[in-house]
Amino acid sequence: MNANQASTQLTPLAHQKSTQPVVQLQDISLAYDAHQVLKSLNWQLLPGQVVGLLGRNGAGKTTLLETMLGLREAATGTVTLFDQPVQSLTDDNRARIGYVPQQSDLFQGFTPRQLLAYFRSFYPRWNEAKVDGLMSRWALPLDLPIGKLSGGQQQRLSIVRALAHEPDLLVLDEPVASLDPAGRRDFLRELVDQVLERGTTVIFSTHILSDLERVAFNVAFLSEGRISVQAPLDELLDQVKSISAPESVLQTWVSRHGGDVLSKKKLDNGHARWLVRLSTPIHLMDASIEMASVNLEDLFMELTQ
Ligand code: ADP
């Protein structure tokens, strides 16, 4: 093994130990004509994080992922992947990314066998045993034209292709959109298990909450062009409370107890309901305030308006 080969092989491990962000977006803005989709967005992902990117249809998830990968140019801001500006990513760093776009109509005339052979030629780190294992476990035919596979099969094939070169960063745009509801969560779980061992950083976008419940360790909410909140899902469910009372009472309560106000809503009875993230548990002493826990659906409804 020469010095170059040694350094190529050591890079991923050295990288996983680092706490440098794998992805860093700073002040990213992007508009389609007059429609501003991303607004001074900041986001960073650390090595090994598994993040579900949540947002409503049209919130800009695909736009954000494409911008992150350098497939779209932002009007302002910088994108850094593996400590390099995305526009000048080296081939070595580019080969550390796996990307599953929402839809890909490419290669419809190829068979999966031909497609995989084609991609194998580009990547030094291609794991044939993993490809064989996934193709058989997910019962994907090797010799039918890709155009004849179902949407779900094509999506799985796209994921096999993205995992085959053992990426350090895996970006999946609605990876289970074509799968039936029963299979979605188990499939995602399996997908994440595939990459956990290697410490791969994973981002997958979704607007389907059940996809996240057993899979995403972190959730990031995209709303109004920004990442409004990012945190471990368990921690959020534990820390975020809904508090209701007249607004002035809520204001006093929050200034006394602290906590981040994540959203505010006026209620019909003259009261307001706020979602507050509390860093320390608080035992409610104030009878004029109603406090309740929230579930993921509440968070989604309030944080992705
Ligand atoms: P999401 O993935 O969250 O559904 P998208 O990033 O696909 O959101 O789209 C964000 C917004 O930008 C939507 O309103 C969409 O209609 C608009 N949009 C997306 N792509 C284009 C494009 N190429 N040209 C013009 N508008 C676009």
Side-chain angles (χ1 to χ4, degrees):
M1 185 190 295
N2 65 31
N4 271 348
Q5 283 169 326
S7 80
T8 314
Q9 293 190 357
L10 287 173
T11 304
L13 270 183
H15 169 71
Q16 283 163 30
K17 282 181 192 153
S18 138
T19 49
Q20 282 290 99
V22 176
V23 176
Q24 187 141 35
L25 283 81
Q26 277 176 315
D27 190 32
I28 294 293
S29 298
L30 189 147
Y32 297 110
D33 298 320
H35 182 188
Q36 192 74 38
V37 178
L38 306 178
K39 300 176 192 164
S40 294
L41 179 145
N42 295 307
W43 198 19
Q44 75 171 32
L45 295 151
L46 298 175
Q49 282 192 321
V50 177
V51 180
L53 173 64
L54 265 175
R56 300 202 179 182
N57 280 323
K61 299 181 294 299
T62 297
T63 304
L64 172 56
L65 298 181
E66 290 178 350
T67 308
M68 171 190 293
L69 294 170
L71 304 171
R72 279 191 188 279
E73 199 176 339
T76 66
T78 54
V79 179
T80 312
L81 300 182
F82 306 118
D83 253 346
Q84 266 182 353
V86 72
Q87 301 87 342
S88 51
L89 216 54
T90 57
D91 288 347
D92 280 356
N93 274 340
R94 200 163 285 287
R96 294 168 66 189
I97 301 171
Y99 173 45
V100 181
Q102 202 165 17
Q103 266 174 352
S104 158
D105 299 330
L106 290 175
F107 304 106
Q108 298 283 302
F110 276 43
T111 64
R113 193 190 299 281
Q114 289 166 332
L115 176 97
L116 293 168
Y118 173 75
F119 278 98
R120 183 170 48 226
S121 63
F122 292 115
Y123 294 103
R125 227 166 60 185
W126 186 269
N127 186 335
E128 196 66 39
K130 173 175 274 183
V131 171
D132 292 347
L134 288 174
M135 290 298 288
S136 77
R137 195 151 67 252
W138 293 346
L140 293 171
L142 274 164
D143 295 310
L144 273 183
I146 291 171
K148 295 206 164 150
L149 304 185
S150 71
Q153 286 177 317
Q154 292 192 23
Q155 211 160 23
R156 285 177 190 235
L157 177 63
S158 188
I159 290 168
V160 174
R161 182 184 62 68
L163 288 173
H165 62 283
E166 312 219 296
D168 293 320
L169 170 64
L170 180 62
V171 179
L172 308 131
D173 193 355
E174 303 262 1
V176 286
S178 304
L179 302 185
D180 57 58
R184 302 171 66 94
R185 205 168 54 181
D186 291 342
F187 175 73
L188 265 175
R189 178 75 255 177
E190 188 178 335
L191 175 65
V192 170
D193 284 347
Q194 287 288 326
V195 295
L196 275 185
E197 232 169 79
R198 296 195 68 251
T200 308
T201 306
V202 184
I203 307 164
F204 68 95
S205 68
T206 185
H207 60 277
I208 298 175
L209 301 180
S210 57
D211 287 351
L212 288 165
E213 274 159 351
R214 275 171 37 216
V215 177
F217 305 127
N218 288 270
V219 283
F221 292 88
L222 176 64
S223 168
E224 297 184 346
R226 294 201 175 90
I227 299 294
S228 53
V229 176
Q230 177 171 346
L233 179 56
D234 291 355
E235 193 179 298
L236 267 189
L237 293 177
D238 207 35
Q239 293 180 340
V240 176
K241 303 290 173 205
S242 151
I243 54 173
S244 315
E247 196 142 18
S248 57
V249 175
L250 294 181
Q251 192 65 62
T252 312
W253 191 89
V254 169
S255 38
R256 186 174 323 136
H257 295 287
D260 284 339
V261 180
L262 304 180
S263 72
K264 295 180 174 184
K265 196 173 198 170
K266 285 197 185 333
L267 301 177
D268 291 341
N269 58 4
H271 285 203
R273 189 174 72 231
W274 291 5
L275 285 196
V276 207
R277 187 172 172 196
L278 303 164
S279 45
T280 46
I282 287 175
H283 301 290
L284 192 62
M285 309 294 268
D286 189 337
S288 61
I289 287 198
E290 220 176 278
M291 186 187 275
S293 295
V294 297
N295 59 29
L296 182 55
E297 194 177 334
D298 301 326
L299 283 174
F300 183 78
M301 296 305 285
E302 297 288 334
L303 300 182
T304 63
Q305 307 224 5

